[in-house]
Amino acid sequence: MRKVLTKADIYNRVARLRADPNRLISAVMLSELAGISIDTFKDVFVSRETPMSETTQIRMSRALERFEAGEVEVMFGRDKKHFIQIHQKPKPKLKRGYGLTVEGGEIKLKIGIRNRADYSEPTFKELMNGD
């Protein structure tokens, strides 16, 4: 079972998401994913007229965690409309990766794709500095 985010953390995350011009999901889709109406979303997060209820807290916490984990993706339909696709198995966010390896006393460059959230390998800078 996932831990529910605090109300302050949810307010901060939603504010950062709304302030980002390159956001991956709109407020309408985020409220749809959370299972709350857009009017409730506006009252709680935009105008802050209504305090956040526990139900809204739980739903927004789950929606934000699912979105950040890669379980949810915004897709474009043939009619140029946006819709949400939920993956049964999360797709990790990948990025280009490179590093150094020592094989047989020779230093070789290792190039490939790696998970963006994986911090188990030392960075190229750490290997060069010997940290």
Side-chain angles (χ1 to χ4, degrees):
M1 183 166 187
R2 295 178 176 168
K3 185 180 92 170
V4 177
L5 299 172
T6 63
K7 290 181 180 181
D9 195 23
I10 294 172
Y11 278 122
N12 290 337
R13 289 184 187 199
V14 170
R16 282 187 218 122
L17 184 128
R18 288 185 57 239
D20 184 13
N22 299 323
R23 62 181 166 262
L24 300 174
I25 191 168
S26 66
V28 174
M29 290 191 182
L30 184 62
S31 63
E32 179 184 328
L33 177 64
I36 60 174
S37 69
I38 189 63
D39 295 328
T40 303
F41 182 88
K42 287 178 183 177
D43 289 344
V44 173
F45 297 105
V46 179
S47 64
R48 294 199 179 195
E49 294 175 357
T50 309
M52 187 186 314
S53 67
E54 290 181 13
T55 305
T56 305
Q57 178 185 2
I58 292 169
R59 289 180 178 205
M60 283 303 293
S61 174
R62 288 181 183 161
L64 288 169
E65 286 184 350
R66 289 182 84 179
F67 180 69
E68 291 169 1
E71 296 177 20
V72 177
E73 195 170 1
V74 177
M75 306 293 285
F76 292 97
R78 289 184 180 169
D79 55 354
K80 305 292 185 200
K81 291 187 180 180
H82 297 79
F83 63 94
I84 297 173
Q85 181 176 4
I86 300 174
H87 303 294
Q88 295 298 324
K89 295 181 182 176
K91 291 184 177 180
K93 298 186 187 301
L94 302 175
K95 70 174 187 177
R96 285 179 268 151
Y98 51 89
L100 296 175
T101 57
V102 179
E103 294 178 9
E106 295 180 355
I107 299 174
K108 294 189 177 186
L109 186 62
K110 183 171 81 173
I111 301 173
I113 299 174
R114 68 181 197 104
N115 187 352
R116 182 173 284 172
D118 182 21
Y119 296 103
S120 61
E121 298 284 328
T123 63
F124 185 72
K125 185 177 180 181
E126 290 173 348
L127 288 171
M128 291 303 292
N129 293 336
D131 295 340

